[in-house]
Amino acid sequence: MNINIKRGGDDFFFNRLFSFLSRELDVEIKGMTHLRGNVYLVETVSKKIIIKGFKDLRKLKIQETFASSLRKSGFDQSYRFYNQNKDPLHFHGSYYGCIEFIDPHEQRFDYSVQKDREEGVELLKRFHDHTSVLVSSYAGMLPKTDLARKWRHRKNEFTKYLPAVNRYVNKSLTNELLEWADFSLTNFVKLKNDLETESPAILHGDVAHHNFLRSKAGKLHIIDFDLISTGSRAYDMLQYANRILPFLDWQFESLAKIEHLNQWLHVDAFLYGLLYPADILREWNRLLRESMQSNPYSLAPIVEMTVSQYQQRKRFQEEVKSRLDA
């Protein structure tokens, strides 16, 4: 029996969970690896599966049901849950779901690769096409997307951490970041209804690169539905645009060449949303919330992102504002 314990995990908890799963699962476990958080890779005698823990049974059930609904709708570029008709695996305050393991390709999905960026947005568009017909089935089960509220909270948290941020980044720069955030948020709130004229879809809510997974066979999948909500697909597309802009050197013209994103670039609310410094505020908040600033390997990339991209971001701000004023 090969128990593979990864650094950073709680060995006692890991071993107890391994023993629990060995008793409860119908197959023999050969080994287990802690991936991140409450997610584990379990290798059985016949296949690999992902075990993921949820603090709330309702959240697990929504995840299971949504994955099943996606598959029934004809969307086959994600994972399935196993054991949906059995009693949930309950251990140490968490409910564990068993998820299909997708054997990954040797080349990971990467936003720095043009082909991946284009394939990712195409997959996101297909995801929305399928989830738009599922919205009514999940009425009352999923929250409605409130991007303005999320951004306001992010800005307020960053403001709280500002004295700590200014130990590493010049105060004039962080003041300008907050000016961008205020300008973006104020105008976005006024105009966001312009993004909600189409029928809503179920949104992914976290289109980070690690939530796109290419299988060994080369097929791209979208995974991790922890943050699904209902709303305009423009909100996922806006987040996608914000995620890839650093890899486009903050060039508006490059963004305009990407199909499924360019259709939103004539909507002022979308343009105001592009001005919000979502990534910088998110990463500083995470670093300081988790008290990781003393770790140079955690701190250095965020300082680098904040300082080295400043001039490019500033030019992008000016470019977008000129379009808004036209």
Side-chain angles (χ1 to χ4, degrees), residues 155-164:
K155 181 182 78 73
N156 291 341
E157 186 178 10
F158 181 78
T159 302
K160 181 183 73 173
Y161 290 132
L162 204 53

Side-chain angles (χ1 to χ4, degrees), residues 172-222:
S172 63
L173 195 156
T174 55
N175 285 344
E176 190 153 17
L177 286 174
L178 286 172
E179 287 176 10
W180 294 350
D182 283 332
F183 178 79
S184 167
L185 192 52
T186 299
N187 290 283
F188 179 79
V189 168
K190 293 177 183 176
L191 300 173
K192 66 185 181 69
N193 288 346
D194 294 344
L195 297 173
E196 299 176 358
T197 56
E198 296 183 351
S199 299
I202 295 176
L203 308 181
H204 185 276
D206 186 10
V207 293
H209 68 92
H210 54 257
N211 286 330
F212 291 90
L213 175 63
R214 191 177 304 282
S215 71
K216 195 171 185 177
K219 190 173 187 177
L220 191 62
H221 296 70
I222 189 167

Side-chain angles (χ1 to χ4, degrees), residues 59-235:
K59 289 183 179 179
L60 169 59
K61 290 303 179 184
I62 289 175
Q63 296 278 307
E64 290 179 344
T65 306
F66 178 69
S68 176
S69 297
L70 261 185
R71 185 70 58 152
K72 289 176 182 176
S73 77
F75 187 87
D76 60 352
Q77 290 175 266
S78 190
Y79 48 56
R80 325 165 198 247
F81 277 78
Y82 300 124
N83 303 322
Q84 293 188 66
N85 298 319
K86 295 185 177 183
D87 291 337
L89 299 167
H90 185 236
F91 177 76
H92 210 267
S94 292
Y95 296 89
Y96 287 83
C98 301
I99 303 173
E100 173 187 12
F101 173 75
I102 300 170
D103 201 8
H105 197 277
E106 59 182 10
Q107 289 188 325
R108 293 186 176 185
F109 179 88
D110 189 342
Y111 275 151
S112 69
V113 178
Q114 179 181 346
K115 178 178 177 295
D116 284 0
R117 293 193 297 266
E118 293 172 351
E119 194 174 356
V121 76
E122 180 67 39
L123 176 56
L124 188 58
K125 190 262 184 188
R126 182 169 184 259
F127 174 80
H128 291 153
D129 288 343
H130 283 264
T131 65
S132 62
V133 302
L134 301 175
V135 171
S136 60
S137 301
Y138 286 83
M141 296 174 65
L142 298 178
K144 184 176 179 181
T145 299
D146 191 343
L147 196 54
R149 181 183 179 186
K150 177 181 177 181
W151 282 351
R152 192 176 293 111
H153 178 270
R154 185 172 292 180
K155 181 182 78 73
N156 291 341
E157 186 178 10
F158 181 78
T159 302
K160 181 183 73 173
Y161 290 132
L162 204 53
V165 177
N166 287 144
R167 292 179 194 147
Y168 310 102
V169 178
N170 189 284
K171 190 174 181 179
S172 63
L173 195 156
T174 55
N175 285 344
E176 190 153 17
L177 286 174
L178 286 172
E179 287 176 10
W180 294 350
D182 283 332
F183 178 79
S184 167
L185 192 52
T186 299
N187 290 283
F188 179 79
V189 168
K190 293 177 183 176
L191 300 173
K192 66 185 181 69
N193 288 346
D194 294 344
L195 297 173
E196 299 176 358
T197 56
E198 296 183 351
S199 299
I202 295 176
L203 308 181
H204 185 276
D206 186 10
V207 293
H209 68 92
H210 54 257
N211 286 330
F212 291 90
L213 175 63
R214 191 177 304 282
S215 71
K216 195 171 185 177
K219 190 173 187 177
L220 191 62
H221 296 70
I222 189 167
I223 61 172
D224 193 348
F225 303 122
D226 287 356
L227 298 181
I228 54 175
S229 61
T230 61
S232 167
R233 61 180 69 192
Y235 295 141

